[in-house]
Amino acid sequence: MSISASLSNAVSGLTAVSRAAELVSANVANAMTESYGRRELSLGAATVGGQGAGVRISGVDRVVNQTAIADLRLAQAELGYQDARASFFASVEQTIGTPDIASSLSAFMDRFDQSLIAAAANPSSGSRLSAVVDSALGLVGKINDISAQLVGKREAADRSIGSQVGLLNSALTVVDRLNREIRQQVNSGGDPSGLMDQRQAVVDGISSIVPVQAVSRDYGQIALVTPNGTTLVDYQAAQFEFTLTGVITPDMSLASGALSGLQIVGASSVNGSAIEAISGGALAGAFALRDQDIPTVQTNLDALSSNLMDRAIAADTTLLPGQAGLFTDAGGALDPLDEAGLASRLLVNAAVQTATGGASWRMRDGINAITQGPASDNRLLSAYEQIFSAAQQPVSGVFSIAGSSSALMGDFLSQVSQNRHGAEQRKSFEATRVQAFRDVEQAGGVDTDQEMQKLLLIERNYAANAKVIQAVDEMLQSLLRI
């Protein structure tokens, strides 16, 4: 081997180990960086004219566990879905309140029942009759508050959909741009690893909104496909369209066209509806809240309100057909075809409220009573107490029992609690899966101990190649001195 060939081999060796040291330092520096793929140097023998010419750098490999990443993304999507539902049911459960809390729905109903019993025992007491009216106002106010929160939560879910759609569209555009930049890097012989790290981080963010799977394409590019086969990115980025609804009322629904649905524009392939394409993930969770979970709770609350009105009407014999009783729909009788949102319109009849020109003695003598009856007559108060304690099955809503008003309110809370418990269990399970897959992903990431061992080998190889160059230099100096 000639002196020049020896020098060339040593220089190529120094170049290779310098690049290897650069990759090791990058790996160590990013050991805790999310979405960072460990770099490994790919080397090959260099030849010139069939003769060995040192070492050449074939490229830089980005090492990641694609299977663990794919599983992690699906788990993150399901976690986002369950987290949205668990947070909602926990919030509503807190608003309704458990029976041991004085501000709970059951506690307001119990106080109303107790006030009726106390008034029936002494119907001549004006203070006890006023206490019945006050407790009825408190009960109605609590129902109104719960309904208002449900409406607010539904509007918040609609805004969340709009926000997530905006983030999703931006992220899909970024993935498409990074795909193009990675292709350019690969075609020019550059290292696209840094761009791939950025793309992985963006896709990880997308996966918390919509479950996606990455499918490899030529030149380092990827396609993003949802579990039902809808392609969101494949040489072009699809975009989602959604229109925010400013004010949402309980009677508004997706089926009626009052609320916006979701459309996909520019996808290279679409399977099923847009809602089916995003099944799972925080975006689907927001749609489930707006169009299913919240309306279901609202329907049951409206059914409880309707049942209160029906019971009060049944107890008061002074009422004519079609007249409102103690509880009213915004001051009037309930239209059975317009029950949606009744809980937000439920009021105590003005005829018993002194603040609105009524009189509390009508709790004893009847809503339509013109003058006071016998002060000792407790028949209506007893009828109220008996009717609200009687077992009934509401004509609307979904309840597991036929019970008293208090029992039905307990069943209403129980259903919300069960949904919250189920969502939290599922959320906990998905959180465990996310952590498990993340651990698997990190296990295949940067091992700093292994990198330090590589660095020792790199140091030895560098010293060896430097020694060759030093020996060649001494040989050349010797020749020059002859």
Side-chain angles (χ1 to χ4, degrees), residues 74 76-78 80-81 160-162 164-165 168-169 172 206-212 225-232 238-242 254 260-264 270-288 290-292:
L74 293 178
Q76 284 177 326
E78 187 63 25
Y81 179 86
S160 176
I161 293 171
Q164 291 184 71
V165 166
L168 180 58
N169 286 338
L172 293 175
I206 291 174
S207 68
S208 64
I209 301 174
V210 175
V212 290
V225 184
T226 65
N228 83 328
T230 297
T231 304
L232 301 184
Q239 295 289 284
F240 288 85
E241 292 185 349
F242 174 80
L254 178 63
S260 173
L262 192 67
Q263 289 80 39
I264 302 178
V270 177
N271 291 327
S273 67
I275 298 296
E276 292 171 341
I278 64 166
S279 179
L283 183 56
F287 269 106
R290 192 197 69 173
D291 300 329
Q292 299 170 27

Side-chain angles (χ1 to χ4, degrees), residues 208-424:
S208 64
I209 301 174
V210 175
V212 290
Q213 295 175 323
V215 180
S216 297
R217 292 288 189 259
D218 295 336
Y219 304 103
Q221 298 180 103
I222 61 170
L224 293 183
V225 184
T226 65
N228 83 328
T230 297
T231 304
L232 301 184
V233 176
D234 193 8
Y235 304 111
Q236 65 177 2
Q239 295 289 284
F240 288 85
E241 292 185 349
F242 174 80
T243 303
L244 283 171
T245 304
V247 177
I248 297 179
T249 56
D251 60 301
M252 297 172 68
S253 68
L254 178 63
S256 69
L259 298 178
S260 173
L262 192 67
Q263 289 80 39
I264 302 178
V265 179
S268 56
S269 66
V270 177
N271 291 327
S273 67
I275 298 296
E276 292 171 341
I278 64 166
S279 179
L283 183 56
F287 269 106
L289 289 179
R290 192 197 69 173
D291 300 329
Q292 299 170 27
D293 295 325
I294 298 177
T296 297
V297 177
Q298 181 73 59
T299 297
N300 285 342
L301 186 61
D302 292 338
L304 283 177
S305 302
S306 176
N307 185 256
L308 286 175
M309 291 183 65
D310 291 341
R311 289 175 189 257
I313 290 172
D316 192 345
T317 57
T318 68
L319 297 174
L320 298 175
Q323 286 188 318
L326 175 61
F327 299 109
T328 71
D329 180 359
L334 171 66
D335 179 356
L337 299 179
D338 188 28
E339 188 175 286
L342 173 61
S344 62
R345 305 190 304 268
L346 188 67
L347 296 174
V348 174
N349 201 310
V352 300
Q353 299 184 57
T354 56
T356 56
S360 61
W361 52 261
R362 288 194 174 91
M363 289 300 310
R364 178 191 63 211
D365 300 321
I367 297 297
N368 277 347
I370 299 175
T371 59
Q372 295 191 49
S376 61
D377 187 357
N378 69 351
R379 287 177 298 173
L380 179 55
L381 292 168
S382 296
Y384 276 136
E385 193 276 324
Q386 291 172 6
I387 198 69
F388 285 115
S389 299
Q392 290 187 10
Q393 181 75 42
V395 296
S396 58
V398 179
F399 295 88
S400 61
I401 61 170
S404 64
S405 294
S406 182
L408 291 175
M409 291 178 184
D411 186 56
F412 173 63
L413 172 63
S414 177
Q415 290 185 44
V416 172
S417 299
Q418 288 176 7
N419 285 325
R420 188 264 308 161
H421 182 66
E424 285 184 346

Side-chain angles (χ1 to χ4, degrees), residues 39-104:
R39 309 318 195 233
E40 287 190 355
L41 191 64
S42 178
L43 301 175
T47 58
V48 176
Q51 300 295 321
V55 64
R56 63 180 178 85
I57 298 175
S58 302
V60 176
D61 297 326
R62 181 175 180 270
V63 182
V64 293
N65 189 331
Q66 295 290 358
T67 301
I69 291 174
D71 291 336
L72 174 61
R73 286 170 178 166
L74 293 178
Q76 284 177 326
E78 187 63 25
L79 177 61
Y81 179 86
Q82 297 300 336
D83 180 60
R85 298 186 70 244
S87 297
F88 162 71
F89 284 115
S91 176
V92 174
E93 182 184 39
Q94 185 177 14
T95 300
I96 297 171
T98 54
D100 58 311
I101 299 176
S103 60
S104 68

